[in-house]
Amino acid sequence: MTIPCHARRRFLRHGAAAVATLPAFSLAARARTAPVRELALNHLHTHERIEIVYAVGDSYLPEALGSLDHFLRDHYSGAVGRIDPKLHDLLHAVRQVLGTERPFHVISGYRAPETNAHLKATRGGGVATRSLHMEGRAIDVRIPGVPLEDLRDAALSL
């Protein structure tokens, strides 16, 4: 049995179109199955809570990063700074190392320069003049039920 030439061409044309869509489909499928990075945080001063996926695969989610920037704002002044996404990655990895899904309790996130100067002048120490909190590269946290030494060791292991 022979297939008419026009039918074979139509089959090849449609078959090629179907194959051409495979990479797009596989990219979409990979996006759905890409590893997500998420955080759960409770802020001890504002009493706010957040559970958020902030990255999928190699891509950060801009809206989620904005939500985290706001969540980790200076709790004294309300100033919002940009938190380095690598800090979020570190927190996510610490939870994995510790094998816990418990939320971090945030003691201090972003700190405006004015707040930092005030704290340095009024506290007996422990506030750096050029604190990484002002750059969005430091956060003070704890995890209830996890000894501080274990939290420290997990962070240092990374």
Side-chain angles (χ1 to χ4, degrees):
M1 175 178 191
T2 49
I3 300 173
C5 189
H6 69 283
R8 186 173 59 214
R9 284 189 192 130
R10 190 173 77 225
F11 170 78
L12 290 173
R13 189 171 46 246
H14 291 293
V19 170
T21 63
L22 285 178
F25 172 76
S26 64
L27 287 175
R30 273 187 281 170
R32 285 193 299 275
T33 60
V36 299
R37 294 191 302 280
E38 59 189 335
L39 289 174
L41 307 167
N42 296 343
H43 201 295
L44 297 179
H45 296 285
T46 65
H47 306 289
E48 297 171 319
R49 299 170 187 259
I50 191 170
E51 288 186 32
I52 193 165
V53 171
Y54 69 91
V56 177
D58 294 334
S59 300
Y60 292 106
L61 305 175
E63 188 174 316
L65 293 179
S67 294
L68 286 166
D69 288 348
H70 178 76
F71 182 86
L72 293 169
R73 68 193 177 277
D74 183 328
H75 66 271
Y76 291 97
S77 70
V80 176
R82 184 183 172 280
I83 304 299
D84 186 340
K86 291 179 180 157
L87 184 59
H88 304 318
D89 289 340
L90 180 61
L91 291 173
H92 174 78
V94 164
R95 279 180 61 188
Q96 289 184 317
V97 167
L98 292 171
T100 185
E101 292 187 14
R102 292 181 178 176
F104 285 100
H105 283 190
V106 175
I107 300 159
S108 181
Y110 172 74
R111 195 180 297 151
E114 299 79 17
T115 299
N116 197 72
H118 174 74
L119 293 174
K120 182 155 181 59
T122 60
R123 302 260 167 108
V127 178
T129 301
R130 301 186 74 177
S131 172
L132 293 176
H133 286 275
M134 296 186 301
E135 298 175 19
R137 295 179 42 219
I139 187 168
D140 299 332
V141 295
R142 66 180 183 212
I143 300 175
V146 175
L148 194 53
E149 298 80 29
D150 293 350
L151 182 59
R152 180 202 62 218
D153 291 347
L156 290 173
S157 76
L158 299 166

